[in-house]
């Protein structure tokens, strides 16, 4: 799942929200934004039960107390997470897809309430106790640890459902993925508190995990009901592909969400701003550099994925397909979800600005360079090529 929806309402008349409530008679103002094309030669797909899964997610949230009224339900639905995940697992078992989608809806709501709340986003020590309790709930399934917090109760319910339908290996992989994600959030908060990344390698180290990629990806084999043998899943080339999925999706989100952030808080935690700050280049050059970096990663993903598919088991091939579908689904979803296209007035209910994001997907990269990017934390991905 994606974390780039920082609260832009600090000391401002306009702020973001995950809501998409009914518009007032006057209607919000509109801004048309041109998004540079995304290189992604992967066709879009979608699960046929997307709409039913979307509807049932709201019913689940109401039952757990995650939403308490019509306005909160509308905000819940506004993340369109069934659309987000359905494009990644088009052939998933519907019951499993429902649980995975519920987790994504929950994740966005938890992110708003706990990850970006007040001092939590700049003081690492404030978020650590929340993360520790969340992980203990996943390990034990003990509802008494939730202390009445609806988000923790929601995760506890998800954990029980996951253990009921998943294999032990899938469950353990899912829990470990939360550890990666939550430690990424702690790293992000520490980096913000320090004034941002000092080097681009610092940026990539944090961005790899903080965007929610690990738990999102870890549910692929559960949703598809196809457990991957550990000897395959943990092989270095497959681990590199998994991390490439996390990173490419995060950088694609950066390209979309930064336009919303430019109307409010600038925290510097997107690749464009990191390039500009670290290298001292102007906005246009930083954008071109960021796109070039991302396209080189996408070229590596495509080449390495084709290499790994040769001789892969059927469960691993299904997983590799979901990684590819996931990159495309994230792009399509990011361009149309209200989470990145609507800014709300100070009441958090009234849409104040609507962004019309004009973006496209193309089959050719901005660059065709094959050498590794010059960042030690990710350079090892290229060593997995034959």
């Amino acid at each position: 799942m994606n974390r780039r929806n920082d609260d832009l309402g600090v000391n401002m008349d306009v702020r973001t929200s995950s809501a998409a409530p009914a518009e007032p008679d006057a209607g919000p103002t509109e801004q048309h934004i041109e998004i540079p094309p995304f290189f992604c030669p992967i066709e879009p797909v979608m699960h046929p039960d997307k709409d039913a899964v979307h509807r049932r997610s709201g019913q689940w949230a109401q039952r757990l107390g995650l939403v308490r009224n019509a306005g909160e339900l509308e905000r819940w639905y506004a993340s369109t997470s069934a659309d987000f995940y359905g494009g990644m697992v088009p052939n998933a078992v519907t019951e499993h897809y429902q649980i995975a989608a519920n987790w994504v809806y929950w994740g966005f709501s938890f992110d708003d309430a706990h990850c970006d709340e007040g001092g939590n986003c700049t003081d690492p020590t404030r978020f650590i106790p929340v993360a520790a309790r969340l992980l203990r709930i996943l390990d034990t399934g003990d509802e008494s640890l939730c202390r009445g917090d609806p988000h923790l109760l929601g995760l506890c319910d998800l954990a029980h459902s996951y253990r009921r339908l998943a294999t032990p290996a899938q469950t353990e992989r899912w829990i470990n993925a939360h550890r990666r994600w939550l430690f990424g959030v702690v790293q992000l908060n520490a980096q913000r508190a320090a004034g941002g990344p000092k080097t681009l390698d610092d940026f990539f180290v944090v961005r790899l995990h903080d965007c929610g990629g690990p738990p999102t990806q870890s549910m692929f084999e559960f949703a598809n009901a196809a457990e991957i043998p550990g000897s395959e899943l943990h092989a270095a080339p497959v681990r590199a592909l998994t991390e490439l999925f996390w990173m490419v999706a995060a950088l694609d989100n950066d390209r979309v969400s930064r336009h919303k952030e430019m109307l409010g808080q600038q925290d510097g935690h997107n690749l464009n701003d990191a390039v500009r700050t670290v290298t001292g280049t102007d906005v246009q050059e930083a954008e071109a550099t960021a796109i070039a970096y991302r396209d080189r990663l996408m070229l590596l993903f495509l080449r390495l994925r084709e290499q790994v598919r040769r001789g892969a088991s059927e469960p691993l091939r299904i997983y590799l397909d979901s990684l590819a579908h996931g990159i495309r689904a994230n792009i399509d979803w990011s361009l149309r979800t209200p989470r990145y296209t609507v800014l709300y007035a100070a009441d958090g209910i009234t849409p104040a600005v609507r962004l019309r994001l004009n973006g496209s997907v193309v089959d050719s990269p901005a660059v065709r360079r094959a050498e590794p990017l010059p960042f030690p934390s990710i350079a090892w991905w290229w060593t997995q090529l034959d």
Side-chain angles (χ1 to χ4, degrees):
M1 64 154 283
N2 216 308
R3 292 201 65 258
R4 303 304 306 151
N5 70 305
D6 303 316
D7 182 4
L8 309 188
V10 180
N11 299 321
M12 294 191 63
D13 294 327
V14 175
R15 68 184 178 93
T16 63
S17 166
S18 59
E23 299 180 5
D25 293 340
T29 61
E30 287 192 2
Q31 291 194 22
H32 291 257
I33 305 293
E34 294 294 331
I35 306 292
F38 294 86
F39 163 54
C40 186
I42 300 164
E43 291 299 315
V45 294
M46 184 54 65
H47 196 284
D49 295 332
K50 176 197 70 174
D51 292 340
V53 167
H54 175 71
R55 182 179 65 255
R56 288 195 292 264
S57 77
Q59 296 168 352
W60 174 78
Q62 290 175 296
R63 179 172 61 84
L64 270 294
L66 286 159
V67 299
R68 296 161 296 180
N69 53 55
E72 290 183 356
L73 180 61
E74 207 159 12
R75 289 193 290 274
W76 178 272
Y77 279 140
S79 75
T80 58
S81 298
D83 182 53
F84 171 79
Y85 214 77
M88 301 184 182
V89 290
N91 301 308
V93 176
T94 298
E95 186 177 9
H96 295 201
Y97 165 38
Q98 182 74 63
I99 293 169
N102 285 353
W103 183 91
V104 180
Y105 283 102
W106 171 89
F108 283 124
S109 182
F110 172 82
D111 188 54
D112 291 342
H114 291 284
C115 298
D116 287 336
E117 179 187 18
N120 282 8
C121 65
T122 55
D123 181 356
T125 63
R126 288 187 54 169
F127 181 71
I128 289 173
V130 178
R133 185 163 295 275
L134 185 153
L135 290 172
R136 195 60 187 148
I137 288 167
L138 287 173
D139 282 333
T140 67
D142 187 348
E143 189 174 313
S144 68
L145 296 168
C146 299
R147 296 179 175 176
D149 185 317
H151 287 98
L152 298 185
L153 288 167
L155 184 67
C156 189
D157 185 80
L158 284 168
H160 285 299
S161 297
Y162 213 91
R163 289 185 185 278
R164 177 173 57 85
L165 295 174
T167 68
Q170 290 170 348
T171 300
E172 189 63 24
R173 291 166 184 173
W174 182 61
I175 294 172
N176 286 337
H178 283 77
R179 292 189 171 93
R180 285 193 171 97
W181 167 45
L182 294 170
F183 182 60
V185 175
V186 172
Q187 289 178 290
L188 170 60
N189 293 347
Q191 197 172 83
R192 282 171 168 160
K198 305 304 180 186
T199 69
L200 288 177
D201 194 59
D202 291 341
F203 171 84
F204 282 112
V205 167
V206 173
R207 199 71 178 116
L208 187 62
H209 296 134
D210 82 274
C211 200
T216 300
Q217 155 269 316
S218 73
M219 295 186 292
F220 286 162
E221 59 174 335
F222 165 70
N224 291 318
E227 182 177 315
I228 305 164
S231 59
E232 288 189 304
L233 185 63
H234 303 306
V238 179
R239 289 192 292 111
L241 279 168
T242 297
E243 292 188 352
L244 277 161
F245 165 77
W246 300 341
M247 186 63 76
V248 171
L251 300 185
D252 286 349
N253 179 242
D254 284 354
R255 194 180 308 184
V256 174
S257 65
R258 68 180 295 266
H259 294 279
K260 189 173 184 180
E261 292 167 358
M262 286 165 63
L263 298 177
Q265 172 182 317
Q266 280 272 38
D267 69 1
H269 195 65
N270 67 71
L271 183 55
N272 288 40
D273 286 346
V275 169
R276 183 168 55 85
T277 300
V278 171
T279 66
T281 57
D282 62 26
V283 173
Q284 290 75 22
E285 186 175 351
E287 181 174 70
T289 299
I291 291 173
Y293 286 166
R294 182 271 182 199
D295 283 6
R296 287 166 68 179
L297 295 175
M298 187 68 190
L299 284 168
L300 174 62
F301 174 86
L302 295 169
R303 183 179 170 187
L304 186 57
R305 176 174 170 268
E306 185 61 29
Q307 172 186 309
V308 171
R309 282 185 67 87
R310 298 193 296 268
S313 67
E314 182 63 17
L316 181 57
R317 286 196 294 271
I318 293 171
Y319 174 76
L320 296 174
D321 287 345
S322 283
L323 292 179
H325 293 322
I327 290 174
R328 177 59 191 263
N330 180 64
I331 294 169
D332 294 337
W333 169 82
S334 295
L335 288 170
R336 62 182 176 239
T337 180
R339 194 164 183 86
Y340 303 130
T341 61
V342 179
L343 282 77
Y344 293 88
D347 60 6
I349 298 174
T350 306
V353 179
R354 186 179 299 278
L355 303 181
R356 300 297 182 184
L357 303 179
N358 301 317
S360 62
V361 178
V362 296
D363 292 336
S364 298
V367 298
R368 290 190 176 274
R369 298 173 63 182
E371 69 271 22
L373 290 176
F375 309 117
S377 61
I378 61 175
W380 78 274
W381 294 338
W382 279 264
T383 68
Q384 302 309 311
L385 289 170
D386 289 341

